[in-house]
Structure formats: C-alpha cells, structure tokens
Amino acid sequence: MPLISLRPPSDLGDPPLLPPRPTLRQAAPALALFVAIRVLCLATLVVWSQLAGRSAHDLLARRWDSLWYVRVADLGYGYTLHAPDGRNLSSMAFFPLYSWLEKALSTVLFIGPANAGLLISALASVAAAWGVFAVAAHCYGRGAGIVLVGLWAALPVGIVQSMAYSESLFVALAAWALYAVLTGRWIVAGSLACLAGLTRPVGLAVSAALIVTAALGARTARPTVRILAGCALAPLGAVGFVLWVGARQGSLFGYLDVQSGWGNGFDGGLAFARFLADGITGTPSAALAAVLLVALLLLAAWPHWIGLRQLQPPALVVYSAVVTLLAVGAAGYFGSKPRLLLPAFPLLLPLAVVLARSRPWVTYLTLTVMTTVAALYGAFWLNGSGPP
C-alpha cells in the first residue's frame, strides 16, 4: 500500500476537480497566500539590507543577470564583456523575451528597464502562482492547488521570483502551457511553450512535455491537426533564437560557443559530480554545501519516482524531469542548482497532496516554518553571494 497516492481526488472521496477554466475567485485564496509569503520575504530583505547598509532595490534589480537583461533591452545583442579570468561573456547567452518586455514597458511607462523588470517579475509571479494552482487543482483538487502555491512561494530560493530575473515569467508561461495540455488546448499550449522557449533555455522542458504527451496519446488515437500544430509551435521560440545566434556567430552551434564562453555547457553532470566530490573532501563549509546539494538532488529524485509510480500526468513528469536533468547536467555555476530547479514546481506535488489531506495545523506549521526559512535565507543570500 503506497504512502502517497496521486490518483485523482474523485477516486479518493475528495472534493471534485475544478471546471476546465479556474476563475480568479477560485484561485483567490492561493494568490492571497502567495502574495502574503512574498511580501513577508521582501519585508525581511528590506530590513536586513538596511541593517547591512545596502539597498534592497539594487539587490533585486541591479545585480548579476538583471544587469545583462538591461543591457539587451538598452543596447540589443552584440555586447561582450572580457572577464579578468579569460572568459568572454556575451549577451547572446540570454534569451530575448524578458528583455523585450523590459524595453516595451520602460518605453510605455517612462521607467528604466531595471524597474520595468521588477514590475514584470511581480506581475508574472502572480500569473505563475495562478498557473501552478490551476495545474494542481485540475489534477488533485483545490486544496492541493492552494498548498502547492504556498510551497512554491516559500522555497528557500523563492526570492528570485521577486528579482528582475526571467524565472517568474518562464514559470508563468510553463505552468499555463502545461495546464493547456492537461485540458486539451493544444494551440494555446504550443503558443505558450514557444514563448517559454524565448524566455529561458529550459523552455525545452515545456516542448518536451507537449511532444511526449502527444506521442503517448497517439498510441490509442490518431493525433488531430490541433495536436500536431501545437507540437510544431512549441519548439519554435527556442530553436529560432538558437539558429539566429548561430547565424550571428557564423556557426550552426554558435549558441553553444556562446555558452562555452561563459564556462557553461552540458556534460550530463560529470563536472557537477567532480564539484561535489571536491567539496566533500574540502573545507568544512564546502563539505556542508556539497552535502546540502546532494540532499537537494535526493529530494528532487523522490517526487519523480512517486509521479511515475502513481501515474501523475505525463506532461508534468516529463517537464520536471527535463528541468532537473538540465539543471544537474549543466557544467557551470554549481551554486545555482537550487535556483535552476525553481521552475520544477511539479516536484512539490506529492508533498502538496499529503498536506492538503492532513490536519490543518500540520499544513499551517509546515508553511510557517518554510516561509520563515525562505525569508531569512533570501535576505542572507542576496546580501551575500546571491545567485550568479
């Protein structure tokens, strides 16, 4: 007898599933919970930053990748920074949709691209929370949807959802694309997947979810024109940008060359394994970081096993699996692994289902502890090393 069941609620005597189009009123408790958690985390960041003599606004909008998105918005592509360590950091490593929106919004509202980025992330994070709720509520009931949103908001690296980064925009597009697949809206799913592919390289995970779901369905019924069209649309954004970069670089694999200049690449996790081995045998702080990363990977593996065994919808399993594979298999920025796993919200579904069916105090206590950790860790993280 399995400890966790991810069968539809109708098989378990739970409240019925939501109708195909969840309304804002149905999602309101989840969105209110999300906003409350994020506001608390941001307030903690502001207080921590003031005590440290730093600007919370600058930490959110004017550091790391956010500077590169602004460069693309202001200058277009073609900027290359020659780093002291010999790397050639090209702006073409960053997919364009987020910078395009920054440029458009800053022009319309007469604000700088950095502030436009913060506004985009704020709005997109709420849209992402709504999409996350819609996916979980459609599959496992409204309670699971509310809890899943709370868990996703309270992740230790959840502060990235409020930064001028592209994660919130990507998750919004990915979540609604997955929901469209689950409800049979293939043209919508393909269009959103195409936009996700213009947002981050991990857009490949959304396209894979669509195509694999369609392929599995083709075993019992011939694919319709809408299904085929959705699958054809899905990869166009990512493929189009990669081909454009290749044309600019004069090489079909030009985008890989750009990533190589950043010290990135995909080696299936070999470099990450060496990093963990070196960390475990290194200084106490390095060993602790390596152990925490190993624990994170083990926690990420468990929901995949549960999802496969309990027949979670294939689109969700494929999506989270590809996100995890790309995060683990990337050759650089090992400290970014937790951030790169942020889009894999279906990994939290087993825990959300358990908490939704538990006593209320267990759910409240879990979310309270997680929110406290997320608020303190997010403030500490951004005032320290932060996301590269």
Side-chain angles (χ1 to χ4, degrees), residues 56-149:
H57 176 271
D58 288 346
L59 293 177
L60 292 170
R62 302 182 186 278
R63 295 183 71 188
W64 303 296
D65 290 4
S66 58
L67 296 175
W68 286 94
Y69 287 118
V70 168
R71 286 190 183 106
V72 174
D74 281 337
L75 307 173
Y77 285 103
Y79 178 87
T80 299
L81 174 65
H82 302 287
D85 59 7
R87 293 180 300 159
N88 295 315
L89 311 181
S90 170
S91 59
M92 287 188 286
F94 295 87
F95 278 48
L97 183 58
Y98 189 79
S99 293
W100 288 347
L101 293 176
E102 282 187 330
K103 178 70 171 180
L105 199 60
S106 64
T107 301
V108 172
L109 299 182
F110 302 102
I111 58 177
N115 290 326
L118 289 180
L119 181 57
I120 291 166
S121 292
L123 297 175
S125 67
V126 175
W130 193 354
V132 168
F133 166 80
V135 168
H138 175 77
C139 294
Y140 305 115
R142 188 164 177 257
I146 295 172
V147 174
L148 180 61
V149 168

Side-chain angles (χ1 to χ4, degrees), residues 330-372:
Y333 297 119
F334 304 115
S336 293
K337 301 301 181 185
R339 176 172 73 88
L340 296 178
L341 286 171
L342 183 68
F345 66 88
L347 295 181
L348 298 169
L349 263 173
L351 178 58
V353 171
V354 169
L355 290 176
R357 298 168 184 171
S358 301
R359 295 182 181 275
W361 71 265
V362 175
T363 305
Y364 298 148
L365 178 61
T366 301
L367 291 177
T368 299
V369 171
M370 287 185 62
T371 300
T372 303

Side-chain angles (χ1 to χ4, degrees), residues 119-319:
L119 181 57
I120 291 166
S121 292
L123 297 175
S125 67
V126 175
W130 193 354
V132 168
F133 166 80
V135 168
H138 175 77
C139 294
Y140 305 115
R142 188 164 177 257
I146 295 172
V147 174
L148 180 61
V149 168
L151 293 175
W152 186 68
L155 288 173
V157 294
I159 193 66
V160 174
Q161 300 163 4
S162 302
M163 296 178 67
Y165 270 43
S166 61
E167 270 81 358
S168 291
L169 177 61
F170 174 80
V171 175
L173 294 168
W176 284 108
L178 293 172
Y179 179 75
V181 171
L182 295 174
T183 54
R185 298 177 177 86
W186 286 90
I187 301 296
V188 173
S191 301
L192 292 173
C194 179
L195 293 174
L198 282 171
T199 306
R200 296 185 64 81
V202 76
L204 172 65
V206 189
S207 298
L210 267 70
I211 294 170
V212 171
T213 300
L216 292 175
R219 297 183 303 176
T220 56
R222 177 178 295 182
T224 65
V225 173
R226 288 182 174 273
I227 292 176
L228 295 175
C231 291
L233 279 171
L236 290 183
V239 171
F241 179 70
V242 168
L243 291 177
W244 178 84
V245 172
R248 287 281 299 265
Q249 295 290 100
S251 167
L252 180 61
F253 301 103
Y255 183 76
L256 298 180
D257 296 335
V258 168
Q259 288 288 354
S260 178
W262 279 79
N264 289 336
F266 184 84
D267 63 2
L270 293 178
F272 185 42
R274 288 194 295 268
F275 169 79
L276 292 176
D278 292 342
I280 291 174
T281 59
T283 63
S285 59
L288 177 60
V291 169
L292 291 176
L293 284 173
V294 171
L296 176 67
L297 292 178
L298 293 176
L299 287 174
W302 174 70
H304 286 109
W305 178 79
I306 292 293
L308 288 171
R309 183 169 179 177
Q310 299 284 341
L311 300 180
Q312 192 179 104
L316 304 185
V317 176
V318 171
Y319 168 75

